[in-house]
Amino acid sequence: MTPRRVPLPRRPQVSISSVGFGAASLGNLYHAISDEQAQHTCAAVAAAGITYVDTAPHYGLGLSEERVGTWVRETPDVMISTKVGRVLEPLDAPWSRDTEGFDVPARYRRVRDYSAAGIRRSLEDSLVRLGVDHVQVALLHDPDEVWEQAVEQSIPELVRLRDEGLVDAIGVGMNQSAMLTEFVRRCDVDVVMCAGRFTLLDQSAAADLLPIALQREVAVLAAGVFNSGILTQPEPPDDATYDYEPADRGIIDRARRLASVCREHGVTLPAAAVQFPLLHPAVASVVLGMQSPQEVAADAAAAGSAIPPELWQQLVREGLLSEAVAEVLA
């Protein structure tokens, strides 16, 4: 599968590649990488035909956005999404290390600000770090605890920013599907990013989010398709992680059943994990985190593997795909 350009149904002037680059890695997620490695990774992403990158101020306290900005100045055909809702406030030196998963000095503190003013400042600051005058997509980042403020202030301000041309399309990014479903149902959004909830191991978004997104022509970006690690290897190990925690025995057994069916059809588990979300017509892109050219090559191979329809049919028969998914495949 060569990544294809997919126009957003509500904003057809914006098209993204069906495989996207999740650039949290460029913010030194878990461990530091050099600027040179970041550049080589971005070059490998471009060579693989991936023209959509997702970043956020949260990722490395702005480092990911800065590195993405360096890349897009040399590769102008890249479509960028970034996120709003966290404002970075400078801290005085000497700095400790960041405590939210990124190997960077804590030069800033993250301030969650979902007010209209906070949303505007967040996007304007991101444009400076990225070195661009607008982005293609802005996503409200993890508004799990602020539903009322999000619908009364955050989304209306994003609409104004879209009307002003600072962003082409707007939406919400979360690790759950239930609230995303309500945003799609009630708000003027163009796109949503759903992390970890439409995967081979967790298909819950197929029951609520995906049908309403398809009905309202809101594009879905599927992230976290490996559920933080358990689906990245052909055979899930005993110490696999699932949603950033050690996987329990039931999850590991289910993942190994998936892997066994994949082997029967000459397919690797990672390849099936990457391609599965794109079976649903509401899903425009699968967003993959990649930290090195080697990871880019592996994910590009997974995305390009031939998968026979019989694999999905067998997964349905064995109860490994939900009824909601089975209906789409029928």
Side-chain angles (χ1 to χ4, degrees), residues 57 83-87 118-126:
K83 302 185 181 75
V84 295
R86 287 177 173 90
V87 175
I119 297 304
R120 181 170 291 269
R121 179 184 168 190
S122 179
L123 181 60
E124 290 176 344
D125 288 353
S126 288

Side-chain angles (χ1 to χ4, degrees), residues 6-14 155 159 162 168-170 183-192 212-219:
V6 181
L8 301 184
R10 287 190 166 207
R11 306 287 161 184
Q13 75 275 21
V14 181
I155 297 298
V159 170
R162 185 180 62 192
D168 295 328
I170 63 171
F183 277 111
V184 171
R185 179 176 288 118
R186 304 187 191 191
C187 300
D188 180 16
V189 296
D190 309 302
V191 59
V192 293
I212 189 68
L214 189 62
Q215 176 187 334
R216 295 183 61 83
E217 297 187 318
V218 172

Side-chain angles (χ1 to χ4, degrees), residues 117-317:
I119 297 304
R120 181 170 291 269
R121 179 184 168 190
S122 179
L123 181 60
E124 290 176 344
D125 288 353
S126 288
L127 295 179
V128 172
R129 286 188 290 268
L130 289 162
V132 298
D133 59 9
H134 89 291
V135 292
Q136 284 70 41
V137 180
L139 299 169
L140 188 63
H141 201 180
D142 295 338
D144 300 72
E145 309 300 327
V146 292
W147 164 259
E148 290 187 5
Q149 187 178 32
V151 298
E152 293 174 2
Q153 297 185 45
S154 307
I155 297 298
E157 186 64 19
L158 280 173
V159 170
R160 284 188 284 270
L161 291 164
R162 185 180 62 192
D163 291 343
E164 293 170 19
L166 293 180
V167 59
D168 295 328
I170 63 171
V172 185
M174 304 181 75
N175 296 310
Q176 59 157 295
S177 62
M179 192 178 287
L180 285 177
T181 301
E182 293 307 307
F183 277 111
V184 171
R185 179 176 288 118
R186 304 187 191 191
C187 300
D188 180 16
V189 296
D190 309 302
V191 59
V192 293
M193 177 174 285
C194 183
R197 306 284 79 85
F198 190 53
T199 74
L200 285 174
L201 284 171
D202 184 337
Q203 298 143 38
S204 53
D208 52 11
L209 174 62
L210 299 184
I212 189 68
L214 189 62
Q215 176 187 334
R216 295 183 61 83
E217 297 187 318
V218 172
V220 176
L221 311 173
V225 299
F226 296 126
N227 285 119
S228 83
I230 191 168
L231 299 177
T232 59
Q233 300 181 43
E235 181 67 15
D238 289 334
D239 61 351
T241 58
Y242 175 76
D243 286 358
Y244 308 100
E245 300 287 343
D248 65 34
R249 176 50 55 186
I251 289 291
I252 292 174
D253 289 346
R254 186 176 181 86
R256 287 175 175 169
R257 288 174 60 201
L258 287 163
S260 176
V261 175
C262 287
R263 281 194 300 273
E264 290 181 33
H265 294 272
V267 174
T268 68
L269 181 60
V274 168
Q275 295 190 40
F276 165 72
L278 293 170
L279 295 174
H280 199 288
V283 176
S285 183
V286 170
V287 182
L288 307 175
M290 297 173 279
Q291 199 168 45
S292 67
Q294 293 76 21
E295 289 187 8
V296 175
D299 285 347
S305 297
I307 296 185
E310 292 78 15
L311 167 64
W312 311 119
Q313 294 163 6
Q314 184 172 346
L315 292 178
V316 170
R317 288 195 301 271

Side-chain angles (χ1 to χ4, degrees), residues 54-78:
D54 174 69
T55 184
H58 172 56
Y59 302 156
L61 294 169
L63 178 62
S64 174
E65 289 184 317
E66 292 169 359
R67 285 171 164 171
V68 167
T70 299
W71 178 37
V72 299
R73 282 191 288 276
E74 300 173 356
T75 313
D77 193 36
V78 175

